[in-house]
Amino acid sequence: IDIFKKFCEKKHLDYKKELNKINDLLSYDDLGEEFYKYLISNLIDFDNFEENYFNVVSELTFKKEEE
């Protein structure tokens, strides 16, 4: 979340509002279409590409070994 906060500060955005907006968009039943549109129109700077942050987060499944 620290990287996202830094990004929002740089873009003069309220990170809490941005997170809420992203959360709302991801809850739509459209396979991420609205999120994608928002991402490319608001969160990725194509004019100053080096100013973007491209960090990856993976969600891994944890299974407890049976004892």
Side-chain angles (χ1 to χ4, degrees):
I1 194 85
D2 292 335
I3 294 168
F4 188 70
K5 282 183 183 180
K6 185 177 174 181
F7 166 80
C8 288
E9 287 174 6
K10 198 176 201 180
K11 300 288 185 183
H12 306 288
L13 302 170
D14 181 332
Y15 85 95
K16 289 182 182 179
K17 287 182 182 177
E18 291 301 312
L19 284 176
N20 286 332
K21 176 70 174 174
I22 291 169
N23 190 47
D24 289 344
L25 292 170
L26 290 172
S27 68
Y28 293 174
D29 190 20
D30 66 352
L31 300 175
E33 184 177 352
E34 289 301 316
F35 170 70
Y36 175 75
K37 289 177 185 176
Y38 186 73
L39 181 70
I40 62 171
S41 65
N42 296 300
L43 300 181
I44 297 179
D45 186 345
F46 289 100
D47 295 326
N48 301 301
F49 204 71
E50 66 281 349
E51 297 294 319
N52 294 301
Y53 292 88
F54 294 104
N55 294 65
V56 177
V57 178
S58 296
E59 182 177 331
L60 305 173
T61 303
F62 173 78
K63 292 184 180 180
K64 184 177 178 180
E65 290 183 34
E66 295 192 10
E67 300 177 346

